[in-house]
Amino acid sequence: MRKPLIAGNWKMYKTSDQAVKLASGIKGSLKSFETADVVLCPAFTVLNAVYNVISDSSLQLGAQDLFWEKEGAFTGEVSPIMLKDCGCEYVIIGHSERRKYFHETDETINKKIKAALDVGLKPIVCVGETLEEREAGKTIEVIKHQLTGCFAGFNIEDMLNVTIAYEPVWAIGTGKNATALQAEEAHRFIRTFIVEKFSQGVANTIRILYGGSVKPANIKELLNEKDVDGALVGGASLEVSSFVDIVKNSI
Ligand code: 13P
């Protein structure tokens, strides 16, 4: 049985005061909650502040991106070691917003995953199709291509520390989530891909999250599906009550 993982992707929201308030509220409402792993992924600028709030709780910290070099003249970038130094255990890699606005490719995402694993960070790797691709019947083809590129050169050991997030681009921030069946179809394909490329053992262990308009009202139905192991939550992770309700409804 895979333990559900609920991660909040705060995107480019929350100043330090707001972030501390949000993290404190979540921590207060989820005291001694252990039936799901809960990860908060704030902006780089507030990682330390959020860590200070949650370090004595079961909540875990994640970042939203990293650069693959350890250090160097890379103005504006943040290294895997720096994220570890802030208390991060997870890092989101290859979010569709990074692919779209910052031209990330499966090749750069592959380097980032490697760099994260090298320092013991657990990557949450995002894949998912656009509306155009879905309407053209290319959903599975697109996901397969992304998975192949993102995980090229990895071994079984590496994959045991990876989480995958299926985030159909058309469901992100639109209020229109994938149906449980649509999510399950993609998740089942991802798990089969892992069996074929790696092993049944990895496929049994790896958590595949769904992301895209997850709300307290739809989390249960999504998680009822066999291959949906949790959620990567955007908008609804920005308020204590909606995020806490999602976590509580995940069991
Ligand atoms: P929403 O939950 O706002 O649709 O965002 C999903 C997402 O992009 C999480 O990474």
Side-chain angles (χ1 to χ4, degrees):
M1 207 28 204
R2 293 175 293 269
K3 189 176 184 184
L5 191 161
I6 308 294
N9 175 6
W10 294 5
K11 306 194 179 184
M12 201 176 72
Y13 292 98
K14 307 294 176 188
T15 58
S16 46
D17 284 356
Q18 294 167 340
V20 164
K21 203 168 157 211
L22 177 56
S24 307
I26 293 169
K27 175 174 139 175
S29 304
L30 293 178
K31 265 196 198 106
S32 70
F33 186 90
E34 280 171 7
T35 26
D37 288 332
V38 180
V39 182
L40 308 184
C41 304
F44 291 138
T45 49
V46 295
L47 283 171
N48 262 319
V50 171
Y51 180 73
N52 288 336
V53 174
I54 66 173
S55 59
D56 62 349
S57 75
S58 60
L59 301 173
Q60 295 175 289
L61 190 67
Q64 298 174 17
D65 185 29
L66 47 55
F67 188 55
W68 55 79
E69 294 290 346
K70 286 192 173 64
E71 60 179 11
F74 302 104
T75 302
E77 293 298 320
V78 175
S79 80
I81 293 170
M82 291 167 177
L83 296 185
K84 285 287 278 188
D85 186 49
C86 288
C88 287
E89 292 176 63
Y90 286 85
V91 57
I92 298 170
I93 298 180
H95 192 280
S96 61
E97 286 149 16
R98 299 220 50 91
R99 291 174 186 260
K100 180 174 174 195
Y101 300 119
F102 305 99
H103 315 296
E104 296 210 7
T105 63
D106 294 329
E107 288 69 34
T108 59
I109 292 164
N110 178 282
K111 287 187 181 191
K112 291 184 175 192
I113 302 169
K114 272 201 182 88
L117 290 170
D118 275 351
V119 299
L121 281 168
K122 296 177 196 150
I124 300 175
V125 181
C126 304
V127 296
E129 81 288 0
T130 62
L131 184 59
E132 209 180 8
E133 289 163 341
R134 173 162 284 267
E135 285 176 345
K138 292 189 172 158
T139 299
I140 296 298
E141 187 186 321
V142 167
I143 299 172
K144 184 176 181 183
H145 191 266
Q146 291 171 334
L147 293 171
T148 304
C150 289
F151 297 119
F154 289 104
N155 60 34
I156 288 176
E157 203 118 306
D158 295 326
M159 293 306 289
L160 289 171
N161 291 309
V162 166
T163 298
I164 297 173
Y166 168 60
E167 297 209 313
V169 178
W170 48 271
I172 295 177
T174 57
K176 187 175 180 286
N177 63 289
T179 64
L181 276 180
Q182 286 171 324
E184 175 59 16
E185 188 187 19
H187 285 225
R188 194 183 319 120
F189 170 75
I190 294 169
R191 208 175 298 284
T192 307
F193 177 94
I194 300 294
V195 175
E196 284 167 7
K197 290 273 180 210
F198 299 98
S199 72
Q200 185 67 54
V202 175
N204 291 345
T205 309
I206 204 164
R207 288 185 288 197
I208 306 172
L209 315 182
Y210 167 78
S213 298
V214 173
K215 303 279 182 282
N218 59 25
I219 183 73
K220 255 192 201 309
E221 197 188 352
L222 289 158
L223 278 175
N224 271 342
E225 296 297 332
K226 188 168 146 281
D227 292 299
V228 180
D229 306 313
L232 184 52
V233 186
S237 73
L238 298 173
E239 297 288 337
V240 174
S241 59
S242 46
F243 187 66
V244 165
D245 285 350
I246 287 173
V247 174
K248 289 188 171 165
N249 287 351
S250 72
I251 51 167

